[in-house]
Structure formats: C-alpha cells, structure tokens
Amino acid sequence: MLTNGTRFRYRDGQKDKLGFTAPLFLLASMLLASPAVSLAANNKKNTAPATPANPANQRTTAYFDITKIVWPNPPEIARIAFKEIYTGEKIDSNLYTKTARKTSWMDRLAGSLPADQIQLDKLPYQLIRTLGVGVDSKGRIYAADQGVGAIFVFDPTDKAHVELIGNGRQAHFGLITGLALDDDDRLFVADASLHRVVVFSPKHEMEEVFGGDILGRAGGVAVDRENRFIYVADTGNDVVDVFDADNFKFLRRIGKPSRKHDQTEPGLFSLPEGVAVDTDGNLYVTDTFNDRVEMFDADGRFISTFGKNGDGPADLDRPKGIAIDCDGHIWLVDAVQNRVKVFDQQGRLLIYLGGAGNYPGQFMGPWGIAIGPSNQVVVSETFPGRVQVFRYITDAEAANLRAQRDSRERKPGGLTPATTPGATAKKDSVAQ
C-alpha cells in the first residue's frame, strides 16, 4: 500500500492472468500526489504512524515505511512491491562543509579565492536526466544519464559503490539513450547525437561501434538472444533497425523510413522510442507519437497493435520504455501520465502504478524500463534523474500465495485470529 493506504478499486468478478481483479476504469485518471491520502472512503481507518526512511544517497522527502508499498492493495495478492531508489553516488555531508584556511599577505595581494572552500573536486556524481536502463545477469542496474554523460552501474549487493562508464573515460558519448544487455553481459549503448551503438564487454571495456551509417536518432535498444538480433528504435527515421548480434552488420528495417513523423498506418511508426523482445522472439515497439504499441514476429511481419491517446488508465499518452516479463505481460512507461502500466497480450490493462510526484512509487518524467533475471523491474525518471526498483511477483508465485491463503481459511472452526482476512492479506502483500 502507499503509506496509509492509497487504494486501487476493482470490478467484481473479473479475473485476469495476473491473478488480481481488473482495475475500475472509472477511477480518477491520476493518482493523488500525496500517498498519505486514501482513494477509498472505507480505508480512512488505516492511520498507522509513518516510519522514517531516508537513506543518505536518496533524494526523496518520503518519510514513511517504503517497504510496505505494494500493488494491488490487500486483500488482493500483491503483484508489485517497491524495493529501492537510486540517485547516484553516496552523498557524504562532510564534503559540503566549508573548510577555513589562513591566508597570507601574499594571498591577499594576489587576489586569491576566499578562504572558505567546498571540496568541489570530491563531490559525488548524481543522476540528472536518466533515460535507458538495463539489468545484467548479476542483478546490477545500469542507468544512462544524459546530464552527466555517463552510465551509472549500481550493485544492490554493494550499495556504497557506484561504477561510472563515462564520457572521456571508457568511450566518447554524445547523447546516450537506450541500453540493453545480452546473455554474456555485453552492454549495448545507443547514442542519439552520434548516430551509433557502442558495445562494451562485461568488464565495461569498449569493444565495438556500429550503426553510424544507418541510424538517424537512436532510441531504445533490445537484444533477441535466441535469433541473435539487435533492434534499435531509430526515432529520427521512424523505423526500427535490425542488426546481427554477432557481427553487428545491418540486416533490415521494420517500418517505412520517414522524417515527417506523420505515419499512422499499422506497421508504420511515428517517433518510435522503446523496443522489447519476448521469449518467442516477437518484437514490441512503443509508437510514441501514435500512442500505441505494435507487435512484430522475428521476421519483421506485423502482428497486432493496441493503444489509443487519452488520459484514462487504459489509454496511452506518449509511451516510452517497454519490457516483457517472464509471464508475457507487457510493461510500458506512460511519460505524460507519469505511470507504469501492465497489459496482457490482447492489450487489456491489468494494473498500473504511479502518478505525478516525487514520493517512492510515483514518477516525474519516466522514460526507461527493464526487467531483470530476478523479476526486478527498473524504471528511470528524468525530473529529477533517479531510478526506482520494484519486485514483480510472478503468476506462479501469486498462485502459490493464493493457495496458501485459501488453505488457511479452510481450516476447521473458521478463521483464527492469526488468519483473519486483514492479517492474511498483510502477510501476502509483503511476500517477496
């Protein structure tokens, strides 16, 4: 739940693949800015005091227990749980204190700088405008930041250490956008202004550069690990470019090249931004200006599309990043609504989270999304730059939790105090 119980409402009796009831489409189009306000009148009684939680390396004013943020709210089985926020290197407040030094008459004569100095050369790097994100096989999180001109590498097992793949260090960057990683943890970095993709080894050493003679303005990147394709959303040319994942040769285009951004026919694009691949090798593209998602097979043949412009929960308004989970659900970022939405393969909305705001679980200018091998969902933001991490509870996990709950509730003698609906729902909601 969002702190004191911001709730989602559901239509009775409509089940879906995710295992929770479908959201009510008459729900207000935006979540309330403050998570402390309830959307359901019957939830006002939930007024437990907030628990402070504000680590030093997090730019957030959310002083409440962020470990209890889950979607949907009890008594439904939780499917998404908030985990962490990353904003950059750890901030040491001592670095911001001014240190006084004595000045000699020579300093004063020469017009030296004031005696009170801040250790500017030691200040930590912080995310500013974060776009593409990715997760490697070890669970490390990669975040491309245009403001810093670097890729931040966060290790959840060592939060005190942040590695930077930076402009002028390992490579030269212009405007870095999309990120993707393959099975060998090679990193693919799309550069919009230099019209290319840079390949880094698992040790973050530059290995290859490709696409310079093909790409207009590179956006999102996706790797088809089975068919050995690399897909790059070519936003400048309104196409998706396909490259060989082994020799990086250009293979073909999906869509029709255009620079007018006015193509609306199915199978064509107007400013495509995000790309993703499922386990069957199908390609998913966020057709941003057309406010829709388009699907293609591994040969580039158009399959289907869904989405329309609007401000309702099931509508789309400038979709950006896209990812597919292990159960085949389609996750995408709605940049204008500041939401993350989950759809099934038929394009039906299953759940959404977020809304405009700076609290954990809310977004300001979200752009990228990636799903890691441990079902961690990583979302980037641009105002200000930060990365939020969630945990997706799979279909199998949810079914197991539901079976356990049903078994407890069927015990002879009815519900015991330990298995009241509220207690059971609370236990299920925080299961990881």
Side-chain angles (χ1 to χ4, degrees), residues 21 40 49 73 77 80 82 85 93 119 135 157 164 196 241 255 279 333 341 352 356 388 391 406 412 416-417 431:
T21 49
N73 289 145
I77 299 296
I80 307 169
F82 176 85
I85 287 180
S93 59
Q119 303 174 60
V135 186
T157 65
L164 263 69
R196 65 184 190 178
D241 294 314
T279 55
V333 169
K341 303 182 179 184
Y352 66 90
Q388 296 196 55
R391 165 75 158 86
D406 293 346
T416 65

Side-chain angles (χ1 to χ4, degrees), residues 207-261:
E207 288 186 340
E208 188 64 70
V209 175
F210 67 90
D213 56 341
I214 301 295
L215 295 168
R217 181 184 181 277
V221 185
V223 179
D224 183 341
R225 300 173 181 181
E226 295 298 325
N227 296 304
R228 308 304 300 159
F229 296 143
I230 298 172
Y231 295 101
V232 184
D234 191 342
T235 307
N237 291 320
D238 286 340
V239 297
V240 173
D241 294 314
V242 188
F243 298 86
D244 189 294
D246 297 311
N247 57 29
F248 312 120
K249 291 183 178 179
F250 174 71
L251 300 177
R252 64 179 183 271
R253 285 190 175 96
I254 299 175
K256 184 172 68 176
S258 170
R259 293 181 180 271
K260 296 181 179 179
H261 313 309

Side-chain angles (χ1 to χ4, degrees), residues 285-329:
V285 184
T286 50
D287 189 6
T288 301
F289 256 31
N290 287 323
D291 298 306
R292 66 188 181 187
V293 174
E294 298 196 79
M295 290 164 275
F296 302 82
D297 66 16
D299 294 320
R301 291 187 294 260
F302 174 77
I303 299 175
S304 63
T305 183
F306 71 87
K308 64 179 180 63
N309 178 261
D311 58 5
D315 298 328
L316 300 179
D317 200 347
R318 298 298 184 259
K320 299 283 188 179
I322 188 168
I324 314 299
D325 66 31
C326 61
D327 294 318
H329 305 120

Side-chain angles (χ1 to χ4, degrees), residues 18 39 43 52 58 65 68 100 108 116 122 140 145 210 214 226 241 266 295 337 347 358 391 405-406 414-415 428:
L18 274 177
L39 292 182
N43 198 52
Q58 295 182 6
D65 189 354
K68 298 299 187 293
R108 293 190 292 272
D116 291 342
K122 296 181 180 179
R140 292 180 298 183
D145 194 279
F210 67 90
I214 301 295
E226 295 298 325
D241 294 314
M295 290 164 275
Q337 292 190 23
N358 291 312
R391 165 75 158 86
R405 183 183 65 184
D406 293 346
L415 298 176
D428 286 338

Side-chain angles (χ1 to χ4, degrees), residues 112-151:
S112 299
L113 292 174
D116 291 342
Q117 298 292 321
I118 295 178
Q119 303 174 60
L120 296 175
D121 59 325
K122 296 181 180 179
L123 293 183
Y125 285 99
Q126 294 287 288
L127 295 169
I128 297 176
R129 187 167 182 262
T130 318
L131 298 184
V133 287
V135 186
D136 69 13
S137 63
K138 300 179 179 65
R140 292 180 298 183
I141 297 165
Y142 295 70
D145 194 279
Q146 283 193 353
V148 178
I151 297 148

